[in-house]
Amino acid sequence: MTTAQIGQSSTSISRKLVVEAAIVLGIMLFLIFILPLLMSDFRLNLTGRFLALSIVALGIDLIWGFTGMLSLGHGVFFTLGGYALAMYLKLQIPANASSQLPEFMGLYGVTELPWFWRPFYSFPITALMVILLPALVAAILGYLIFRNRIRGVYFSILTQATTIIFFNFFNGQQKLFNGTNGLTDFKTLFGLEVSKPGAQYVFYVLTILFLAATYALSRWLTSGRFGRLLVAIRDDETRVRFTGYNPTGFKVLVFAISAAFAGLAGALFTLQTGIISPNSMNIAFSIEMVIWVAVGGRATLVGAILGTLVVNFAKSTLSEKFPDIWLFFQGALFLVVVLFLPNGIVGWLRDRGLDTFQTLIGKRKRSMTYPSLEEDPEVEYERKNTGD
Amino acid sequence: MSEKILEIENLTVNFDGFRALNNLSFSLDTGELRVIIGPNGAGKTTFLDIITGKTKPTEGQVRFKGRNLRPYAEYQIAEMGIGRKFQTPRVYLNLSPRENLELACNRGKGVFPTLFKRTPSPEKRTVSGLLETIGLIPKADMKANLLSHGEKQWLEIGMLVAQSPDLLLVDEPVAGLTDEETERTGELLISLAQSHSIIVIEHDMEFVRQIARQVTVLHQGSVLCEGTIDEVQNDPKVIEVYLGKEETQHEDDMRPMSYPVSTEDAIAT
């Protein structure tokens, strides 16, 4: 590290932003127009799912990577978003059908639609609920936890306990949510048949747009004073208090935003898998989300997305080729990251990778001491000519 | 001018039966620089914890500019104008000195002002001025974890000033500093004292001599005595607390001062 970056002018910062936006746009165009030509519908659908999952990962990066709160309960928010949209889909019943209730309700002898299903006739309310419901649950839970200054492991345990409560609740409510089977067998959305490739391509594009939007939002949140305060809370919350900030509000807000991301991801995932069930609230899934972020690199945002894609593609490829032992690969991947790349893939690239890459393509010499010494021609001259 | 900025009356803090502070009364004039000394365990840090709201008193009260501080949380007390520097330097290691100072300098510390407002240019100027005062201009934009111990101490003092508090609480500002840094820190504190009220807690007697006008000695959770540095150093009670009983020395000059009496008896028999 040198003192070269002193006084970054605002023009160079805005130029960097333009470059970043151009790269994001380029990737988006590639994903939307080129990738579908290279992949089968099945693979494209998988990619869409993984891109949806990387929206959750962004949320986890916000609260864990930046703010230092390890949530092991994001499966709950993910599932709530999924259920909100699934309820709307289940209410798309043709007018000439024999029963105007979702079919599972008939099985359990429900004759009237439960009151809380009614708002989900409306799409705007549904769209709002996909984001608001998880955000609200997180805000209430977060307020109670953070106001009482519960931190660290205890926070993680509480989020995990929340997962169990929600899992058991949804599992047990056959009449309200079809219990352990979840909501599936969706028919239409805006007249489109949801299972057809055409509709699936629309969902795929939607996922990319939402991913870009959440990425932009995360970048904005973490770049200014707010973002620095999140890092400050992660590094020394007590100091933040004595500087005159109340950390509770900041933590509640960022927890709610990350839950909203999870809800959005859950809805997009549900559209592309055609099912949402209490299964996505099991603890393993919430822990997997954390692993994606760890693999990609904490507090890097790009790392969260990259980690999600790498782990999930590895998982799907390996589980096809080695159905019996692929779990070992996943474990090994996690071990490698923890032991050798503690800052994740992107963290390593930022720290070390750039140098290594430049060395490999011969742009820069590999230096054994300090680059500032070895690259100084006077020092080199002295060393060669005056002997050791 | 003898308007009181801080008044503490009959303060007792009880930690499960252990009285960290015991019926302590203390007051500080506006614009005063006061040094608090005392042996380990005298309750100096608890004293600061009470003022800043980290610990609540069991009995008694603390009044800052006439307001009782008991109902307020740490961040509210900080907003009222009490800034605290910790014993070990606590700066945000993953942020640059400039960012550290900007966070402390921020005038709107609510969630939404912090999120939506850009740093206004008067604050940026304040930050640049402070960076110059604490000598960190060349390192303003590198991560604070690359700073030396002394630089971190100074950065934290800078953050304290950036908060623009009326009362500064400074806990051992020169611990681990070189002699030269110590002296410069003393000068900095003296110049700050022109516009702030300051309480300094310190062990380094030479440093105390450099900056102190009034000294308060704490012992076992109460004020033992107050006065100028010379008065305090010659006070027999203070000497007894710091050096052991004087009469013991008269009895036997060869005996180490801290020798417990029971062991003595055992040796004698």
Side-chain angles (χ1 to χ4, degrees), chain B residues 12-13 20 25 27 88 99 159 164 166 173 190 198 222 233 240:
Chain B
T12 298
V13 178
S25 295
S27 73
T88 47
E99 291 166 340
M159 287 167 72
S164 71
D166 302 310
I190 289 170
I198 305 181
S222 316
Q233 279 193 320
E240 181 185 320

Side-chain angles (χ1 to χ4, degrees), chain A residues 85 120 122-132 264:
Chain A
L85 187 70
F120 292 94
S122 145
F123 185 75
I125 292 182
T126 304
L128 199 66
M129 284 316 237
V130 162
I131 294 172
L132 209 60
L264 179 64

Side-chain angles (χ1 to χ4, degrees), chain B residues 213-243:
Chain B
R213 297 154 208 183
Q214 285 290 101
V215 177
T216 298
V217 185
L218 285 191
H219 178 55
Q220 294 182 344
S222 316
V223 174
L224 188 71
C225 78
E226 267 176 14
T228 64
I229 180 85
D230 290 320
E231 282 167 16
V232 164
Q233 279 193 320
N234 293 321
D235 189 304
K237 282 186 292 182
V238 177
I239 295 170
E240 181 185 320
V241 165
Y242 266 97
L243 303 174

Side-chain angles (χ1 to χ4, degrees), chain A residues 51-94:
Chain A
L51 289 171
L53 292 179
S54 48
I55 297 178
V56 201
L58 275 179
I60 297 218
D61 203 12
L62 278 181
I63 59 161
W64 185 40
F66 286 90
T67 325
M69 306 184 282
L70 176 59
S71 163
L72 298 178
H74 261 50
V76 170
F77 309 126
F78 180 88
T79 315
L80 285 177
Y83 266 91
L85 187 70
M87 281 160 81
Y88 173 79
L89 292 169
K90 289 309 276 181
L91 290 174
Q92 302 301 303
I93 305 162

Side-chain angles (χ1 to χ4, degrees), chain A residues 149 225 235-236 243 245, chain B residues 74 90 94 103 109 117:
Chain A
R149 305 196 178 177
R225 275 192 301 191
D235 290 352
D236 195 342
T243 315
Y245 293 94
Chain B
E74 295 101 314
R90 283 171 84 166
N94 286 305
L103 278 185
K109 286 182 173 154
K117 272 200 192 158

Side-chain angles (χ1 to χ4, degrees), chain B residues 23 27 35 44 57 59-60 76 79 81 90 98 120 205 246 257 261:
Chain B
N23 211 13
S27 73
V35 178
K44 299 184 300 280
E59 279 167 48
Q76 291 167 318
E79 280 291 78
R90 283 171 84 166
R98 190 188 299 281
M205 287 314 283
E246 227 177 325
M257 282 176 290
V261 180

Side-chain angles (χ1 to χ4, degrees), chain A residues 46-344:
Chain A
L46 271 187
T47 313
R49 290 181 198 184
F50 299 159
L51 289 171
L53 292 179
S54 48
I55 297 178
V56 201
L58 275 179
I60 297 218
D61 203 12
L62 278 181
I63 59 161
W64 185 40
F66 286 90
T67 325
M69 306 184 282
L70 176 59
S71 163
L72 298 178
H74 261 50
V76 170
F77 309 126
F78 180 88
T79 315
L80 285 177
Y83 266 91
L85 187 70
M87 281 160 81
Y88 173 79
L89 292 169
K90 289 309 276 181
L91 290 174
Q92 302 301 303
I93 305 162
N96 56 6
S98 58
S99 160
Q100 286 301 308
L101 291 174
E103 74 286 344
F104 73 87
M105 288 190 181
L107 288 177
Y108 297 112
V110 179
T111 51
E112 203 186 332
L113 196 68
W115 61 269
F116 63 86
W117 273 73
R118 291 188 185 283
F120 292 94
Y121 275 118
S122 145
F123 185 75
I125 292 182
T126 304
L128 199 66
M129 284 316 237
V130 162
I131 294 172
L132 209 60
L133 197 66
L136 218 60
V137 171
I140 295 169
L141 185 71
Y143 178 71
L144 294 174
I145 294 178
F146 305 138
R147 194 197 52 171
N148 293 315
R149 305 196 178 177
I150 294 166
R151 286 193 284 172
V153 182
Y154 301 98
F155 170 76
S156 304
I157 292 172
L158 277 174
T159 53
Q160 200 154 81
T162 313
T163 338
I164 297 171
I165 292 168
F166 273 84
F167 178 78
N168 285 332
F169 176 74
F170 276 76
N171 234 352
Q173 300 299 320
Q174 269 92 0
K175 290 183 178 176
L176 302 181
F177 302 115
N178 202 16
T180 179
N181 300 319
L183 303 179
T184 181
D185 196 15
F186 309 128
K187 298 289 187 309
T188 59
L189 178 67
F190 298 129
L192 261 91
E193 271 190 68
V194 289
S195 52
K196 286 277 160 58
Q200 285 299 325
Y201 179 66
V202 174
F203 302 148
Y204 169 74
V205 174
L206 262 181
T207 305
I208 293 169
L209 295 179
F210 275 117
L211 178 58
T214 47
Y215 177 73
L217 180 65
S218 309
R219 283 281 288 133
W220 176 65
L221 283 173
T222 54
S223 58
R225 275 192 301 191
F226 185 81
R228 279 174 229 136
L229 194 77
L230 296 185
V231 173
I233 290 175
R234 178 190 72 194
D235 290 352
D236 195 342
E237 191 173 333
T238 312
R239 190 78 189 80
V240 170
R241 280 208 173 85
F242 286 112
T243 315
Y245 293 94
N246 184 5
T248 309
F250 291 89
K251 290 169 88 174
V252 168
L253 180 67
V254 82
F255 192 44
I257 290 175
S258 100
F261 281 15
L264 179 64
L268 292 166
F269 191 76
T270 304
L271 277 175
Q272 297 177 78
T273 49
I275 182 168
I276 183 76
S277 75
N279 216 12
S280 54
M281 280 192 277
N282 70 23
I283 287 169
F285 186 52
S286 294
I287 293 176
E288 253 181 64
M289 294 174 182
V290 173
I291 295 180
W292 305 332
V293 178
V295 169
R298 274 172 292 165
T300 56
L301 296 180
V302 185
I305 301 174
L306 198 70
T308 312
L309 297 179
V310 167
V311 174
N312 280 293
F313 272 113
K315 183 173 159 181
S316 73
T317 320
L318 292 171
S319 62
E320 282 163 26
K321 297 229 169 87
F322 314 99
D324 299 331
I325 54 166
W326 68 270
L327 267 174
F328 290 103
F329 287 106
Q330 195 185 9
L333 176 69
F334 191 50
L335 273 180
V336 166
V337 167
V338 170
L339 291 176
F340 301 108
L341 306 173
N343 294 323

